[in-house]
């Protein structure tokens, strides 16, 4: 994909979504939350004001150009550097995808603005939506997600319940587990009870296998996730990528790696698995980007993670 795109990235390989073109509507780390496990770094403050954070005309022009020059993807996903529903025009992007392509659209959201009817109406234009449920009350919500002032757990739950009533597409809940914060069986039983009241089609169980902002945040083990998944019931599946991806091999250009790492810091091994590509060539490309000053490398435990240099 051409490096001249500002708001599009990928397509990136995904086990569940195949080749997924990313649309990023939000400046780096602009979010209603400042989750302890966020890979994008710590933010000075979370915010909840909706606005046209990037010009909608630019985003739509890039989508038109992409569809004319390339146009090959299995999904188009609104995701990236923050919370996409903060952008007042995210529904316009979903409408454009529906009107101009036969590609399924996906919205990845933390769900914190779904109490607003206008956000639910726009989100309902997506074919698939994933929202977050990793806490069980206001105190755990504050501890794990550190939301913007005025963003509450009650709003999140009520908004997600209301959306399910209005949305007939595929709704997934992501439960993100952090060791010692929400990893006890009792915690997950409380989350499971709430999840039942939302009636999702699927529950994705994840943990911090990618480097979080807070280096004190620990992933839980594969074995523990499997046990927690049983508590969440038959709709739950462990999606944390401990295992090799089975997605098709995609061309790995320096631009593709930069676009992905800007939104998802990763190790060379994780990227080789994601792209189903030789580790050596990924490593060489990453080291070249580090030498050019585009990326920085940071050692965490026994792994080297690559981050975008802002
Ligand atoms: S993990 Fe997602 S919801 Fe949480 S702060 Fe980062 S971008 Fe926002």
């Amino acid at each position: 994909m051409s490096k001249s795109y500002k708001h599009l990235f990928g397509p990136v390989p995904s086990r569940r979504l195949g080749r997924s073109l990313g649309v990023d509507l939000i400046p780096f780390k602009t979010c209603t939350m400042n989750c302890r496990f966020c890979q994008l770094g710590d933010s000075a403050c979370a915010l909840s004001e909706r606005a046209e954070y990037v010009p909608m005309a630019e985003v739509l022009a890039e989508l038109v150009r992409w569809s004319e020059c390339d146009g090959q993807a299995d999904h188009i996903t609104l995701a990236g550097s923050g919370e996409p529903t903060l952008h007042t025009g995210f529904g316009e992007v979903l409408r454009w995808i529906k009107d101009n392509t036969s590609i399924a659209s996906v919205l990845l959201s933390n769900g914190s603005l779904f109490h607003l009817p206008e956000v639910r109406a726009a989100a309902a234009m997506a074919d698939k939506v994933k929202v977050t449920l990793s806490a069980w009350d206001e105190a755990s919500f504050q501890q794990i997600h550190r939301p913007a002032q005025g963003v509450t757990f009650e709003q999140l739950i009520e908004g997600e319940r209301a959306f399910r009533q209005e949305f007939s597409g595929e709704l997934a809940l992501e439960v993100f587990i952090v060791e010692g914060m929400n990893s006890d069986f009792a915690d997950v039983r409380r989350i499971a009870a709430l999840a039942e009241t939302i009636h999702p089609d699927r529950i994705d169980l994840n943990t911090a296998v990618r480097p979080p902002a807070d280096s004190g945040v620990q992933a839980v083990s594969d074995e523990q996730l499997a046990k927690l998944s049983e508590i969440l019931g038959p709709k739950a599946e462990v999606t944390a990528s401990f295992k090799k991806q089975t997605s098709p091999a995609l061309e790995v250009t320096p631009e593709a790696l930069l676009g992905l790492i800007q939104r998802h810091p990763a190790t060379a091994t994780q990227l080789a698995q994601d792209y189903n590509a030789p580790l050596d060539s990924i490593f060489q490309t990453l080291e070249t980007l580090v030498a050019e000053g585009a990326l920085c490398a940071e050692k965490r435990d026994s792994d080297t993670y690559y981050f975008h240099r802002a």
Side-chain angles (χ1 to χ4, degrees):
M1 191 167 92
S2 162
K3 66 169 84 172
S4 59
Y5 292 106
K6 235 165 91 182
H7 309 293
L8 310 186
F9 63 99
V12 294
S14 156
R15 192 160 51 97
R16 188 175 289 282
L17 301 177
R19 294 162 304 162
S20 173
L21 178 77
V23 182
D24 196 350
L25 296 176
I26 294 292
F28 187 74
K29 190 68 201 242
T30 302
C31 193
T32 53
M33 299 178 177
N34 184 20
C35 303
R36 298 284 303 277
F37 54 79
C38 186
Q39 302 164 1
L40 300 173
D42 215 359
S43 66
C45 60
L47 50 83
S48 59
E49 289 75 35
R50 303 189 67 223
E52 187 177 353
Y53 283 97
V54 298
M56 187 46 51
E58 266 184 34
V59 176
L60 295 179
E62 287 195 1
L63 279 166
V64 169
R65 186 150 56 89
W66 174 80
S67 67
E68 287 170 355
C69 302
D70 186 346
Q72 300 296 311
D74 300 308
H75 289 85
I76 300 178
T77 303
L78 273 58
S81 303
E83 172 50 39
T85 65
L86 274 171
H87 197 297
T88 44
F90 81 94
E92 281 181 57
V93 177
L94 294 169
R95 177 163 301 290
W96 185 92
I97 296 167
K98 205 174 269 310
D99 291 347
N100 294 280
T101 77
S102 54
I103 302 173
S105 60
V106 183
L107 171 67
L108 303 183
S109 168
N110 62 27
S112 59
L113 298 177
F114 276 50
H115 61 287
L116 300 172
E118 62 274 25
V119 168
R120 296 200 300 275
M125 282 189 275
D127 295 298
K128 302 176 183 182
V129 175
K130 177 144 80 174
V131 291
T132 302
L133 182 67
S134 303
W136 59 91
D137 62 10
E138 189 62 39
S140 58
F141 183 63
Q142 292 290 335
Q143 191 202 10
I144 296 167
H145 296 291
R146 300 182 296 187
Q149 203 171 13
V151 172
T152 68
F153 184 67
E154 193 180 340
Q155 285 173 347
L156 177 111
I157 285 289
E158 291 305 328
E160 292 179 355
R161 283 184 189 133
F163 183 65
R164 170 75 291 180
Q165 301 296 314
E166 298 160 10
F167 179 56
S168 56
E170 182 185 298
L171 178 65
L173 284 184
E174 179 176 74
V175 179
F176 198 102
I177 301 293
V178 176
E179 179 67 50
M181 258 183 232
N182 59 357
S183 56
D184 287 352
F185 289 172
D187 303 337
V188 176
R189 277 193 202 99
R190 293 185 189 109
I191 294 170
L194 286 168
E196 259 186 55
T197 69
I198 297 171
H199 304 295
D201 297 296
R202 211 180 68 235
I203 300 175
D204 292 348
L205 197 54
N206 203 352
T207 190
V209 291
R210 303 272 166 140
D214 182 340
S215 56
V217 164
Q218 297 294 324
V220 295
S221 67
D222 209 358
E223 294 71 32
Q224 174 79 347
L225 275 186
K227 287 182 195 151
L228 298 177
S229 177
E230 282 176 26
I231 295 174
L232 288 160
K235 288 180 185 169
E237 186 189 333
V238 174
T239 57
S241 54
F242 290 106
K243 299 182 185 72
K244 193 174 186 333
Q245 299 276 9
T246 52
S247 46
L250 285 179
E251 190 194 359
V252 193
T253 61
E255 292 78 30
L257 285 184
L258 269 179
L260 183 59
I261 290 172
Q262 188 172 356
R263 283 109 185 158
H264 302 284
T267 66
T269 305
Q270 287 168 339
L271 290 163
Q273 289 176 355
D274 285 350
Y275 280 92
N276 200 5
L279 177 60
D280 278 3
S281 84
I282 294 276
F283 181 72
Q284 291 300 335
T285 308
L286 290 170
E287 287 299 309
T288 303
L289 289 167
V290 170
E292 289 170 353
L295 294 180
C296 56
E298 188 181 312
K299 199 115 178 119
R300 295 237 181 128
D301 299 325
S302 56
D303 287 318
T304 300
Y305 285 95
Y306 293 87
F307 293 82
H308 189 254
R309 200 183 281 278

